[in-house]
Amino acid sequence: MSTLLSVTNLKKHFPVRRGLFSRVVAHVRAVDDISFHIGEGETLGLVGESGCGKTTAGRTLLRLIEPTAGEIQFNGTDVRASRGRQLRELRQHMQIVFQDPFGSLNPRMTIKGIVEEGLIVHRRGNKQERLELVEKTLEQVGLDPGYINRYPHEFSGGQRQRICVARALALNPRFMVLDEPISALDVSIQSQIINLLVELRETYKLTYLFISHDLSVVEYISDRVAVMYVGEIVETATSEQLYGNPLHPYTRALLSSVPTMDPKSRQKRIILEGDVPSPINPPAGCRFHPRCPQVMDVCKRECPRQLDFDGHLVRCHWVEQQQES
């Protein structure tokens, strides 16, 4: 599988300003030195607690937020170095579906205008050709093309999210960031949107970065999963490896919270004590050590190095000690 997207040492730090002259007194390390890759046609799930930096990472990849440091390569093109026309051409192939389907739609535009807007910006076809493409795209996401002159407030939450998917799909992208696309929807609608995304991926050979805190959904849709904690990726593995044999104590705690209907597969709930550290002043050493049930002295002093167990990547002193003993 060829690599479509490669991210190396990506950082995004937001300045904290205070005082009369708005001096920078600190930085929020929302994304702090993460690296990963996504293959052509692959889905990478990105999971973690709220505030860990998942959404910031997704938006930084598309340069909706400018990165502080690091390298982003998309199909061999340096995304950070792209400017002007080159960046506009690149963005045709990299689209995003936002978490809030209503907040991301312009309430003053019709559905036709919303889906057609990207086609106009990128000068795709004439008026009639764009109309035909809008109608075709709406059909692909399960909406009646006769709805094109309606406004967002006339639709349900699930229909609005289908419109958001149609807007991203209209430009025929190769890569899509799905930023918690079902979290704002009713449970009865969530499965419909997930199945739609799976169908579109298989039909158009799309590549996804699927951001979510719903671990059950991530297991269903993802080929590989990356676990994020306070701006860092602590574990990356295939879905089978991660859900079958989680290595990092944080991953184990997350998976123990997933509800299951099978009494035989239930496991003891791991309760993490304490609060998530502030990304403004993260703890020294391993950032998880204040809450880790397996904490050791070295965890408080040194940042763990990345261990590779046949593609199962993890950063943890305790795991390293377990392997050595």
Side-chain angles (χ1 to χ4, degrees), residues 235-254:
E235 186 168 2
T236 307
T238 64
S239 292
E240 292 79 9
Q241 289 174 326
L242 192 88
Y243 286 83
N245 181 33
L247 298 179
H248 199 282
Y250 177 62
T251 307
R252 293 186 175 192
L254 285 181

mmCIF file of all heavy atoms in Angstrom, residues 235-254:
data_model
loop_
_atom_site.group_PDB
_atom_site.id
_atom_site.type_symbol
_atom_site.label_atom_id
_atom_site.label_comp_id
_atom_site.label_asym_id
_atom_site.label_seq_id
_atom_site.Cartn_x
_atom_site.Cartn_y
_atom_site.Cartn_z
ATOM 1 N N GLU A 235 0.124 5.514 21.211
ATOM 2 C CA GLU A 235 0.075 4.148 20.672
ATOM 3 C C GLU A 235 -0.580 4.152 19.300
ATOM 4 O O GLU A 235 -1.572 4.847 19.074
ATOM 5 C CB GLU A 235 -0.702 3.229 21.620
ATOM 6 C CG GLU A 235 -0.678 1.761 21.221
ATOM 7 C CD GLU A 235 -1.208 0.839 22.309
ATOM 8 O OE1 GLU A 235 -1.636 1.339 23.376
ATOM 9 O OE2 GLU A 235 -1.207 -0.392 22.094
ATOM 10 N N THR A 236 -0.015 3.372 18.385
ATOM 11 C CA THR A 236 -0.567 3.221 17.036
ATOM 12 C C THR A 236 -0.470 1.757 16.635
ATOM 13 O O THR A 236 0.590 1.142 16.789
ATOM 14 C CB THR A 236 0.197 4.079 16.013
ATOM 15 O OG1 THR A 236 0.247 5.438 16.449
ATOM 16 C CG2 THR A 236 -0.469 4.013 14.651
ATOM 17 N N ALA A 237 -1.567 1.214 16.124
ATOM 18 C CA ALA A 237 -1.573 -0.193 15.723
ATOM 19 C C ALA A 237 -2.754 -0.435 14.804
ATOM 20 O O ALA A 237 -3.620 0.432 14.626
ATOM 21 C CB ALA A 237 -1.656 -1.098 16.952
ATOM 22 N N THR A 238 -2.805 -1.623 14.211
ATOM 23 C CA THR A 238 -3.982 -2.002 13.450
ATOM 24 C C THR A 238 -5.150 -2.157 14.431
ATOM 25 O O THR A 238 -4.948 -2.329 15.636
ATOM 26 C CB THR A 238 -3.766 -3.327 12.705
ATOM 27 O OG1 THR A 238 -3.580 -4.377 13.661
ATOM 28 C CG2 THR A 238 -2.543 -3.247 11.792
ATOM 29 N N SER A 239 -6.357 -2.106 13.916
ATOM 30 C CA SER A 239 -7.527 -2.248 14.786
ATOM 31 C C SER A 239 -7.494 -3.573 15.542
ATOM 32 O O SER A 239 -7.811 -3.632 16.741
ATOM 33 C CB SER A 239 -8.815 -2.152 13.961
ATOM 34 O OG SER A 239 -8.984 -0.851 13.449
ATOM 35 N N GLU A 240 -7.100 -4.645 14.845
ATOM 36 C CA GLU A 240 -7.047 -5.956 15.483
ATOM 37 C C GLU A 240 -6.031 -5.971 16.615
ATOM 38 O O GLU A 240 -6.297 -6.503 17.708
ATOM 39 C CB GLU A 240 -6.704 -7.037 14.457
ATOM 40 C CG GLU A 240 -7.778 -7.287 13.416
ATOM 41 C CD GLU A 240 -7.790 -6.235 12.310
ATOM 42 O OE1 GLU A 240 -6.854 -5.398 12.260
ATOM 43 O OE2 GLU A 240 -8.734 -6.234 11.506
ATOM 44 N N GLN A 241 -4.848 -5.388 16.384
ATOM 45 C CA GLN A 241 -3.817 -5.364 17.411
ATOM 46 C C GLN A 241 -4.238 -4.510 18.604
ATOM 47 O O GLN A 241 -4.080 -4.916 19.762
ATOM 48 C CB GLN A 241 -2.516 -4.805 16.828
ATOM 49 C CG GLN A 241 -1.802 -5.726 15.857
ATOM 50 C CD GLN A 241 -0.601 -5.052 15.221
ATOM 51 O OE1 GLN A 241 -0.604 -3.839 14.966
ATOM 52 N NE2 GLN A 241 0.440 -5.820 14.945
ATOM 53 N N LEU A 242 -4.772 -3.327 18.318
ATOM 54 C CA LEU A 242 -5.080 -2.388 19.396
ATOM 55 C C LEU A 242 -6.217 -2.892 20.272
ATOM 56 O O LEU A 242 -6.150 -2.831 21.505
ATOM 57 C CB LEU A 242 -5.441 -1.024 18.812
ATOM 58 C CG LEU A 242 -5.490 0.092 19.855
ATOM 59 C CD1 LEU A 242 -4.105 0.711 20.020
ATOM 60 C CD2 LEU A 242 -6.484 1.175 19.488
ATOM 61 N N TYR A 243 -7.282 -3.389 19.649
ATOM 62 C CA TYR A 243 -8.437 -3.837 20.421
ATOM 63 C C TYR A 243 -8.218 -5.237 21.012
ATOM 64 O O TYR A 243 -8.827 -5.574 22.026
ATOM 65 C CB TYR A 243 -9.693 -3.813 19.567
ATOM 66 C CG TYR A 243 -10.209 -2.415 19.321
ATOM 67 C CD1 TYR A 243 -9.688 -1.619 18.301
ATOM 68 C CD2 TYR A 243 -11.211 -1.867 20.110
ATOM 69 C CE1 TYR A 243 -10.147 -0.332 18.080
ATOM 70 C CE2 TYR A 243 -11.679 -0.584 19.893
ATOM 71 C CZ TYR A 243 -11.140 0.182 18.879
ATOM 72 O OH TYR A 243 -11.588 1.458 18.670
ATOM 73 N N GLY A 244 -7.361 -6.026 20.379
ATOM 74 C CA GLY A 244 -7.102 -7.371 20.891
ATOM 75 C C GLY A 244 -6.011 -7.416 21.939
ATOM 76 O O GLY A 244 -6.051 -8.247 22.853
ATOM 77 N N ASN A 245 -5.019 -6.490 21.817
ATOM 78 C CA ASN A 245 -3.899 -6.504 22.753
ATOM 79 C C ASN A 245 -3.373 -5.081 22.974
ATOM 80 O O ASN A 245 -2.290 -4.728 22.513
ATOM 81 C CB ASN A 245 -2.772 -7.405 22.221
ATOM 82 C CG ASN A 245 -1.598 -7.470 23.175
ATOM 83 O OD1 ASN A 245 -1.757 -7.401 24.397
ATOM 84 N ND2 ASN A 245 -0.391 -7.593 22.618
ATOM 85 N N PRO A 246 -4.144 -4.233 23.648
ATOM 86 C CA PRO A 246 -3.653 -2.871 23.921
ATOM 87 C C PRO A 246 -2.457 -2.921 24.857
ATOM 88 O O PRO A 246 -2.448 -3.669 25.839
ATOM 89 C CB PRO A 246 -4.863 -2.200 24.589
ATOM 90 C CG PRO A 246 -5.651 -3.326 25.194
ATOM 91 C CD PRO A 246 -5.455 -4.496 24.277
ATOM 92 N N LEU A 247 -1.442 -2.108 24.568
ATOM 93 C CA LEU A 247 -0.216 -2.138 25.357
ATOM 94 C C LEU A 247 -0.119 -0.981 26.344
ATOM 95 O O LEU A 247 0.236 -1.179 27.507
ATOM 96 C CB LEU A 247 1.004 -2.118 24.423
ATOM 97 C CG LEU A 247 1.147 -3.309 23.469
ATOM 98 C CD1 LEU A 247 2.386 -3.141 22.592
ATOM 99 C CD2 LEU A 247 1.215 -4.617 24.245
ATOM 100 N N HIS A 248 -0.438 0.224 25.902
ATOM 101 C CA HIS A 248 -0.283 1.395 26.765
ATOM 102 C C HIS A 248 -1.370 1.402 27.850
ATOM 103 O O HIS A 248 -2.538 1.106 27.563
ATOM 104 C CB HIS A 248 -0.381 2.669 25.923
ATOM 105 C CG HIS A 248 0.199 3.874 26.592
ATOM 106 N ND1 HIS A 248 -0.470 4.565 27.579
ATOM 107 C CD2 HIS A 248 1.392 4.505 26.427
ATOM 108 C CE1 HIS A 248 0.276 5.582 27.979
ATOM 109 N NE2 HIS A 248 1.405 5.559 27.305
ATOM 110 N N PRO A 249 -1.018 1.735 29.094
ATOM 111 C CA PRO A 249 -2.031 1.776 30.164
ATOM 112 C C PRO A 249 -3.193 2.715 29.863
ATOM 113 O O PRO A 249 -4.336 2.449 30.265
ATOM 114 C CB PRO A 249 -1.231 2.268 31.377
ATOM 115 C CG PRO A 249 0.175 1.856 31.100
ATOM 116 C CD PRO A 249 0.340 1.962 29.607
ATOM 117 N N TYR A 250 -2.934 3.802 29.141
ATOM 118 C CA TYR A 250 -4.015 4.726 28.793
ATOM 119 C C TYR A 250 -4.983 4.076 27.807
ATOM 120 O O TYR A 250 -6.208 4.181 27.953
ATOM 121 C CB TYR A 250 -3.438 6.007 28.202
ATOM 122 C CG TYR A 250 -4.480 6.998 27.742
ATOM 123 C CD1 TYR A 250 -5.378 7.557 28.640
ATOM 124 C CD2 TYR A 250 -4.570 7.372 26.407
ATOM 125 C CE1 TYR A 250 -6.341 8.462 28.234
ATOM 126 C CE2 TYR A 250 -5.528 8.286 25.979
ATOM 127 C CZ TYR A 250 -6.408 8.826 26.900
ATOM 128 O OH TYR A 250 -7.366 9.721 26.491
ATOM 129 N N THR A 251 -4.450 3.364 26.828
ATOM 130 C CA THR A 251 -5.304 2.661 25.861
ATOM 131 C C THR A 251 -6.142 1.605 26.559
ATOM 132 O O THR A 251 -7.331 1.437 26.272
ATOM 133 C CB THR A 251 -4.448 2.011 24.766
ATOM 134 O OG1 THR A 251 -3.575 2.994 24.194
ATOM 135 C CG2 THR A 251 -5.315 1.428 23.670
ATOM 136 N N ARG A 252 -5.534 0.903 27.495
ATOM 137 C CA ARG A 252 -6.264 -0.123 28.241
ATOM 138 C C ARG A 252 -7.421 0.496 29.027
ATOM 139 O O ARG A 252 -8.512 -0.081 29.103
ATOM 140 C CB ARG A 252 -5.311 -0.847 29.192
ATOM 141 C CG ARG A 252 -4.247 -1.675 28.484
ATOM 142 C CD ARG A 252 -3.417 -2.474 29.456
ATOM 143 N NE ARG A 252 -2.479 -3.345 28.755
ATOM 144 C CZ ARG A 252 -1.798 -4.321 29.339
ATOM 145 N NH1 ARG A 252 -1.949 -4.557 30.636
ATOM 146 N NH2 ARG A 252 -0.966 -5.058 28.642
ATOM 147 N N ALA A 253 -7.167 1.656 29.624
ATOM 148 C CA ALA A 253 -8.225 2.330 30.382
ATOM 149 C C ALA A 253 -9.358 2.767 29.464
ATOM 150 O O ALA A 253 -10.542 2.634 29.806
ATOM 151 C CB ALA A 253 -7.644 3.524 31.131
ATOM 152 N N LEU A 254 -9.014 3.291 28.278
ATOM 153 C CA LEU A 254 -10.046 3.708 27.331
ATOM 154 C C LEU A 254 -10.912 2.529 26.893
ATOM 155 O O LEU A 254 -12.141 2.611 26.877
ATOM 156 C CB LEU A 254 -9.398 4.356 26.096
ATOM 157 C CG LEU A 254 -8.827 5.768 26.217
ATOM 158 C CD1 LEU A 254 -8.255 6.206 24.879
ATOM 159 C CD2 LEU A 254 -9.894 6.751 26.668
#
